[in-house]
Amino acid sequence: MVYDSHKRRSDGKEYRGISRNQICIGIAYDGSNVYCCLLGHGKPSQKSVYNGFKAHVVPGSTLIHDREKAHKKLIQELGLESIEYDSKQLKGLPDSENPLEPINRRCYELQRLMRRHPGFSRDDLPGYLDLFSYIHNPPQDKYEKVENLIKRILENPNSLKYRD
């Protein structure tokens, strides 16, 4: 979750829990590729999760998750095999034994990125999510990744003026 600072209660205090003062970000990880998307403000809904991930999840594949009810429509519509874990029961387990550790690690790394750049405009959040995904997706060789990025920039037919 990312806080959206302009949304506060009338008395100036922040809302409690996962509420409308937080921007919800969905993260998917298949063991090699990371995908991030904005799901809206507050707790994710079945519709927002489905719309955010439907184009990026292969129908019939397996979804390993934390019993979040918002995954229900995605599972039903795409015919996914669902493997659920109760996150309360996994609390306290060493990372090597936690089946949700791979996705938890990606969430932690995204939180670190957001905390290192606290002054960014929330309007730029999709760009930060793209950057995070680019950094964490293959190839793992940093030089190859930079080479690919430079090639994509040079092949881009659009020009950006200094004042834009």
Side-chain angles (χ1 to χ4, degrees), residues 4-131:
D4 194 356
S5 59
H6 69 275
K7 300 217 176 180
R8 296 182 183 272
R9 294 186 340 195
S10 59
D11 60 2
K13 295 181 181 178
E14 291 186 358
Y15 293 99
R16 290 182 51 188
I18 302 174
S19 62
R20 57 186 161 176
N21 69 322
Q22 295 177 327
I23 300 169
C24 184
I25 298 170
I27 302 177
Y29 179 63
D30 67 0
S32 62
N33 295 295
V34 175
Y35 171 70
C36 303
C37 65
L38 291 175
L39 298 177
H41 282 81
K43 193 157 175 62
S45 67
Q46 290 183 22
K47 182 179 178 182
S48 67
V49 170
Y50 177 73
N51 290 335
F53 290 104
K54 67 182 175 186
H56 301 277
V57 176
V58 177
S61 59
T62 302
L63 178 66
I64 301 171
H65 62 102
D66 61 353
R67 289 189 171 172
E68 172 60 51
K69 292 176 185 171
H71 298 140
K72 186 177 180 180
K73 182 174 181 177
L74 185 69
I75 292 167
Q76 289 175 342
E77 295 291 325
L78 297 180
L80 303 178
E81 178 186 341
S82 175
I83 300 176
E84 300 177 346
Y85 292 98
D86 187 350
S87 56
K88 291 177 185 174
Q89 291 179 350
L90 298 176
K91 203 169 201 171
L93 280 179
D95 287 343
S96 60
E97 296 177 21
N98 187 342
L100 297 177
E101 192 278 330
I103 193 67
N104 291 343
R105 183 76 190 159
R106 298 327 169 276
C107 293
Y108 168 75
E109 290 171 359
L110 179 60
Q111 287 175 344
R112 266 184 45 200
L113 176 71
M114 295 292 116
R115 287 185 183 128
R116 286 184 178 173
H117 303 281
F120 74 92
S121 168
R122 298 304 184 251
D123 295 336
D124 297 334
L125 190 54
Y128 276 85
L129 296 180
D130 290 344
L131 174 65

Side-chain angles (χ1 to χ4, degrees), residues 132-151:
F132 177 80
S133 297
Y134 189 80
I135 290 169
H136 287 84
N137 286 336
Q140 296 306 317
D141 179 32
K142 293 177 184 177
Y143 295 112
E144 187 178 349
K145 195 171 285 203
V146 169
E147 182 181 350
N148 290 344
L149 181 61
I150 291 171
K151 283 181 182 177

